[in-house]
Amino acid sequence: MTADRYPLVELDNLPDDIRAKVLEVQEKSGFVPNVFLALARRPAEWRAFFAYHDALMLKEEGSLTKGDREMIVTTTSAANRCLYCVVAHGALLRIYEKKPLVADQVATNWRKADITPRQYAMLEFAMKVCERSHEIDDADFPPLHAHGFSDEDIWDIAAITAFFGLSNRMASFSGMQPNAEFYLLGRVPKPKK
């Protein structure tokens, strides 16, 4: 399956509110991630998707760092075999954690990655939500509490995992391809201006 099964929407053809948000992203990152143009074919769904994405990934409450959030996405997206999300969120993970190898490690085998015991516990729970959510029970919570995660943090871990389960499936079925720019982000120093 190729990316042209559902062609990316042209920037000039976006509704004004969506175009404004996409241009903000372009200004900040220097390019437009393909997900913004791929999902824009259905504006109402785009708005709902990115509203929930932002509520989960940009929130400032709780103890999950931006790196933790991206680590959850990269790890569970690898389990779901989503090329787009592993590459795109792996790039963000490398940047937030300031560790150029971590995204490859968690995407390949998170159990052997150079991560903290706290992150290990977080990913162990996220993977259970990803692969066996029907098996979650009360015994899954105390190990997370022991690492300082609150019940609200645990909700966030589960919600991020579940949301990206949807995102992974949409990206994979539609043939969405990662932008070339993502492959180098966080691996090589930014050029000086």
Side-chain angles (χ1 to χ4, degrees):
M1 187 174 320
T2 62
D4 58 1
R5 174 167 284 196
Y6 291 95
L8 302 178
V9 177
E10 295 292 326
L11 195 58
D12 294 339
N13 296 334
L14 296 174
D16 291 341
D17 64 317
I18 294 176
R19 183 173 39 256
K21 291 204 181 276
V22 170
L23 290 173
E24 282 177 35
V25 170
Q26 183 180 36
E27 176 70 26
K28 185 175 179 182
S29 67
F31 66 99
V32 177
N34 288 338
V35 66
F36 287 91
L37 301 176
L39 297 181
R41 63 190 320 279
R42 294 190 171 194
E45 292 173 26
W46 188 99
R47 292 179 187 103
F49 179 92
F50 283 104
Y52 195 38
H53 171 279
D54 292 353
L56 291 171
M57 300 301 285
L58 302 179
K59 74 184 286 188
E60 296 185 14
E61 302 85 29
S63 74
L64 294 182
T65 66
K66 288 180 179 181
D68 290 339
R69 293 169 195 281
E70 297 298 343
M71 189 176 292
I72 293 165
V73 177
T74 304
T75 304
T76 60
S77 294
N80 291 327
R81 299 181 184 156
C82 179
L83 175 66
Y84 186 91
C85 292
V86 168
V87 173
H89 291 276
L92 295 172
L93 172 58
R94 288 190 297 273
I95 291 166
Y96 292 139
E97 290 291 302
K98 296 176 179 49
K99 293 167 81 174
L101 305 180
V102 70
D104 295 328
Q105 292 172 348
V106 299
T108 304
N109 185 348
W110 66 271
R111 292 179 181 278
K112 295 187 179 200
D114 181 19
I115 58 177
T116 67
R118 177 184 176 277
Q119 290 168 326
Y120 188 96
M122 174 187 76
L123 294 182
E124 189 168 48
F125 181 74
M127 288 301 295
K128 189 168 183 181
V129 171
C130 177
E131 297 175 331
R132 304 179 326 279
S133 61
H134 60 283
E135 293 178 10
I136 299 289
D137 61 30
D138 291 344
D140 292 303
F141 289 73
L144 292 165
H145 292 148
H147 286 283
F149 292 107
S150 69
D151 286 339
E152 293 306 311
D153 294 330
I154 296 168
W155 180 287
D156 287 341
I157 295 166
I160 291 165
T161 300
F163 175 78
F164 279 93
L166 163 91
S167 179
N168 297 160
R169 284 156 180 82
M170 293 302 293
S172 293
F173 109 89
S174 67
M176 194 184 307
Q177 295 298 305
N179 302 66
E181 292 89 343
F182 282 126
Y183 287 94
L184 294 181
L185 287 176
R187 292 188 198 275
V188 295
K190 277 181 147 179
K192 294 186 180 184
K193 293 183 179 183

